[in-house]
Amino acid sequence: MVNQKYLDKAETLIEALPYIQRFNRKIVVVKYGGSAMLDEELKANVIKDVVLLKLIGFKPIIVHGGGKEISRWVNKVGMEPRFINGLRVTDKDTMEIAEMVLAKVNKELVTLVESLGVQAVGISGKDGGLLQCHKKLSNGEDIGYVGDIEKVNPKVLQDLLERDFLPIVFPIGYDTNFDSYNINADDAACAIAEAVHAEKLVFLSDIEGVYKDKDDPNTLISELHVHEAEKLISEGYVGGGMIPKLQNCIDAIEEGVNRVHILDGRIPHSLLLEIFTNKGIGTAILREDGEKYYDEHE
Ligand SMILES: Nc1ncnc2c1ncn2[C@@H]1O[C@H](COP(=O)(O)OP(=O)(O)O)[C@@H](O)[C@H]1O
Ligand SMILES: CC(=O)N[C@@H](CCC(=O)OP(=O)(O)O)C(=O)O
C-alpha cells in the first residue's frame, strides 16, 4: 500500500494542473518589495516560487523595490529619508544612493535565481529604453528626481523572455535629456505589466491585502470589482501606500491585465498558494465582468 503522505503529494500536483495549463507561456509580473525583501529566508522563498513558475512554463518578470534598503543607506551617509505621499523626496545625492542600492539588490536577486539553475538578467528602466519618464510632482510640489512613467519600451523584456531568461527589473529610468529618475516600484510594475500584456500582476506587500476598515485586520476583502476599489479610495477607506497601490491595480485592469492581486509577501509561498490553489489569499481586483468566486462559492 502506498503511504498516504505520497498520495497527498500527488494529489497536490494534480490540483495544480488546471492552473499550469491556464498560465502556460503567459506573462506574470511580480512586484517584490517592502519587508519581504529584508528577511533572507522570505527572500529565498519568494525567489524559489518565481523560479518554479518559470520552470513549469510561465513567463515571470520580477519588478523589485528596495525602499527600506535605500533608506538604510541614506541614513548611513548621515541624511534623513523623507517621503511625501509615499514617494521619496529625491535630491541628487539620494538619486545616486537609490540607483546604487537598487542595482546591488538587483544583482543579489539575479544571483539567487541563477543559483537555482535559471538564467536571469537584471536590468533597470534605463536599459533598452525600458522606462522613459518625466519629473513627477506631488500635488504640484517639486520633490526632486522622482519619475512619472511616460512611455514603456517593452522590447528588451520581450527579447529576454523569448530567449528564456527571467528578467529582473529595478525602477530607475531617464527622461528625454537622459537625466536619471527614481520611480516608485509599484508604478513601474504596473506600467510594465500593461506594456507586455501580462496575464497577471501580483503585488507582494507588507500587508494581507485590502481591509474594508484600515485599522481592523478582520475586514480583509477577498475580491473587489474596479468600481468598488475606486469607491474605497474616494471614500477614504484606504490610506497611505495603499492608495497608489490600489490605483495601480485599477489602472492595470483597465489597461487589459487580466488578473491583479495584492498578497502578503510575509507569508511563505503566498505566490504559489494564490496561483495554484483556490484558497483565496490576499485581495484580487477584478474586471467589472469578472465573476466573484468567494462571494458565490463560500
Ligand atoms: N484599507 C487598507 N487596507 C490595507 N492597507 C492599508 C489600508 N489603508 C492604508 N493601508 C496601509 O497601506 C500599506 C501598504 O502600502 P505600502 O506600505 O506602500 O506597501 P509596500 O511597501 O508593501 O509596497 C499598509 O501597510 C497599510 O499601513
Ligand atoms: C520615488 C520612490 O519613492 N521610489 C522608491 C523606489 C523603491 C521602491 O518603490 O521600493 P518598495 O517597493 O520596497 O517600497 C524609493 O525610493 O523608495
Side-chain angles (χ1 to χ4, degrees), residues 184-242:
N184 172 270
D186 284 2
D187 291 354
C190 176
I192 286 172
E194 290 169 14
V196 298
H197 308 295
E199 174 69 19
K200 191 177 182 89
L201 167 63
V202 181
F203 291 95
L204 289 177
S205 181
D206 281 355
I207 195 141
E208 268 184 294
V210 181
Y211 298 133
K212 167 97 179 150
D213 172 352
K214 54 177 167 270
D215 301 315
D216 183 358
N218 293 317
T219 61
L220 179 68
I221 308 171
S222 298
E223 290 165 315
L224 275 173
H225 279 130
V226 163
H227 78 273
E228 293 170 310
E230 280 167 343
K231 204 161 157 221
L232 286 180
I233 297 176
S234 65
E235 294 183 358
Y237 287 101
V238 295
M242 192 49 83

Side-chain angles (χ1 to χ4, degrees), residues 84-87 135-143 146 148 243:
I84 295 182
N85 294 326
L87 296 171
K135 188 190 274 278
K136 183 172 191 150
L137 301 176
S138 175
N139 295 329
E141 191 184 344
D142 187 342
I143 51 170
V146 173
D148 203 357
I243 299 176

Side-chain angles (χ1 to χ4, degrees), residues 1-201:
M1 191 57 188
V2 180
N3 188 316
Q4 188 60 39
K5 196 172 77 183
Y6 299 120
L7 288 174
D8 289 347
K9 266 195 187 154
E11 194 55 39
T12 306
L13 287 170
I14 292 299
E15 254 179 49
L17 188 61
Y19 303 100
I20 295 175
Q21 282 169 328
R22 185 196 300 168
F23 288 104
N24 190 30
R25 313 313 293 159
K26 297 273 171 54
I27 299 178
V28 177
V29 174
V30 179
K31 152 68 203 314
Y32 177 43
S35 319
M37 293 197 85
L38 298 181
D39 182 310
E40 291 304 317
E41 201 178 325
L42 278 178
K43 195 195 282 185
N45 281 336
V46 169
I47 294 304
K48 274 187 199 156
D49 288 2
V50 179
V51 162
L52 188 131
L53 297 184
K54 177 79 179 169
L55 289 173
I56 59 175
F58 293 39
K59 293 181 174 185
I61 298 173
I62 299 176
V63 178
H64 68 86
K68 296 203 161 80
E69 188 69 358
I70 298 171
S71 294
R72 200 166 72 83
W73 281 91
V74 168
N75 278 321
K76 264 196 187 186
V77 299
M79 291 167 22
E80 202 49 54
R82 263 185 71 213
F83 289 87
I84 295 182
N85 294 326
L87 296 171
R88 185 183 306 278
V89 178
T90 308
D91 61 12
K92 260 228 148 11
D93 288 340
T94 307
M95 182 64 233
E96 212 178 327
I97 295 170
E99 188 162 13
M100 286 194 292
V101 171
L102 290 174
K104 176 176 161 288
V105 170
N106 185 271
K107 297 310 159 194
E108 283 166 7
L109 296 177
V110 167
T111 307
L112 278 173
V113 172
E114 290 271 344
S115 73
L116 293 170
V118 163
Q119 290 200 305
V121 174
I123 60 172
S124 79
K126 290 179 172 179
D127 296 275
L130 177 61
L131 299 176
Q132 202 188 87
C133 51
H134 56 256
K135 188 190 274 278
K136 183 172 191 150
L137 301 176
S138 175
N139 295 329
E141 191 184 344
D142 187 342
I143 51 170
Y145 294 94
V146 173
D148 203 357
I149 300 169
E150 197 172 300
K151 213 166 93 190
V152 181
N153 180 355
K155 187 170 182 313
V156 61
L157 293 176
Q158 287 155 347
D159 286 354
L160 290 172
L161 291 175
E162 186 65 28
R163 296 190 169 267
D164 221 24
F165 290 105
L166 196 163
I168 306 184
V169 182
F170 65 100
I172 299 288
Y174 34 42
D175 65 5
T176 45
N177 292 323
F178 298 96
D179 284 326
S180 301
Y181 283 84
N182 178 15
I183 300 166
N184 172 270
D186 284 2
D187 291 354
C190 176
I192 286 172
E194 290 169 14
V196 298
H197 308 295
E199 174 69 19
K200 191 177 182 89
L201 167 63

Side-chain angles (χ1 to χ4, degrees), residues 255-267:
E255 291 301 319
V257 178
N258 229 349
R259 300 183 66 83
V260 181
H261 234 101
I262 299 174
L263 294 183
D264 193 340
R266 300 165 306 178
I267 300 176

